[in-house]
Amino acid sequence: MHLSRKAIDDMNHLYKINLMNSISGYKPANLIATKSEDGISNVAVFSSVVHYGSSPAILGFVLRPTTVARNTYDNIKKTGFYTINAINEAIIEDAHHTSAKYPSAVSEFDKTDLTEIYKDDFFAPYVAESPIKIGMKFLEEHPIKANGTILVLGEVTDLYFKDSMLSEDGFLNLSEEKIAVINGLDTYMVAKEYQRLSYQRPK
């Protein structure tokens, strides 16, 4: 099948976003949790978290245009802190429900069985059920002019995970805890370890 740019532009909107969200492959499934200045927590599912560097450890994620209310963005900009929490098989349905558009006065923790917890005096909440919890400090944002989205970059300040996931060389085995990935917008899959290859040098 071949689809030209014109064919893509002419597609039904929902059909197009389903297709375009699928072509980049499997994406990480994470919950980003924040807290407002008024103390109201927020948690939402994101599939755009990407590694941007190890020293310092920087992760980025993309936010949709702020032409409508974006509680996650507002809380991060006002407080400077948020957490990234991996989604595993056990919490997929509750995690997906956080994509529902609740008003800022409503916490998604209250609308799901996800548990809000705090660790080591960090401002933003973590998701108790998540096997990987990452404390983040906002660094900078980059507007993407082509479509009005925003790339948010943050520094890892704290990292929590189950001991059994860690290999001797520092590799974190996500399959150990049945970490989920997202295909498209709404299809969740659980990856399993297939093959780990050695560092490659020129022959």
Side-chain angles (χ1 to χ4, degrees):
M1 182 180 288
H2 167 240
L3 294 171
S4 67
R5 169 64 188 271
K6 183 179 186 309
I8 294 170
D9 288 346
D10 290 344
M11 286 177 179
N12 168 273
H13 177 68
L14 183 58
Y15 186 96
K16 178 167 59 179
I17 64 173
N18 279 331
L19 179 61
M20 292 300 107
N21 272 279
S22 301
I23 62 174
S24 60
Y26 301 120
K27 298 171 287 187
N30 289 287
L31 289 164
I32 294 182
T34 61
K35 186 171 67 173
S36 71
E37 291 178 312
D38 296 329
I40 300 170
S41 59
N42 169 269
V43 62
V45 61
F46 281 82
S47 62
S48 60
V49 174
V50 176
H51 165 86
Y52 276 89
S54 300
S55 186
I58 295 174
L59 299 176
F61 72 97
V62 176
L63 278 157
R64 292 176 183 172
T66 54
T67 50
V68 298
R70 301 288 179 200
N71 299 331
T72 298
Y73 177 73
D74 291 342
N75 291 345
I76 290 174
K77 289 302 299 288
K78 289 176 181 176
T79 70
F81 297 97
Y82 57 105
T83 68
I84 298 174
N85 306 267
I87 297 170
N88 68 351
E89 186 176 47
I91 62 172
I92 286 174
E93 289 191 22
D94 277 319
H96 186 67
H97 184 69
T98 66
S99 63
K101 292 177 173 59
Y102 287 104
S104 59
V106 176
S107 171
E108 291 81 0
F109 284 108
D110 294 333
K111 298 297 180 178
T112 64
D113 288 329
L114 299 172
T115 308
E116 172 183 2
I117 62 166
Y118 292 84
K119 289 178 169 288
D120 300 318
D121 298 320
F122 194 74
F123 181 81
Y126 294 91
V127 177
E129 293 79 8
S130 174
I132 305 174
K133 305 173 181 66
I134 310 169
M136 301 293 300
K137 181 180 180 181
F138 173 76
L139 287 177
E140 55 192 77
E141 64 177 87
H142 298 273
I144 300 173
K145 296 178 182 178
N147 62 1
T149 57
I150 301 170
L151 170 63
V152 175
L153 298 180
E155 179 180 354
V156 175
T157 63
D158 298 274
L159 179 58
Y160 305 89
F161 53 83
K162 292 193 174 182
D163 295 353
S164 60
M165 300 175 69
L166 186 64
S167 300
E168 290 183 2
D169 64 354
F171 171 70
L172 204 62
N173 189 339
L174 306 188
S175 65
E176 195 67 35
E177 284 296 320
K178 298 182 178 179
I179 302 297
V181 296
I182 296 177
N183 180 201
L185 288 169
D186 54 14
T187 301
Y188 294 78
M189 302 178 181
V190 176
K192 61 181 179 180
E193 184 178 7
Y194 173 68
Q195 185 177 10
R196 189 178 180 202
L197 303 176
S198 62
Y199 181 83
Q200 298 294 292
R201 292 179 172 82
K203 294 182 180 179

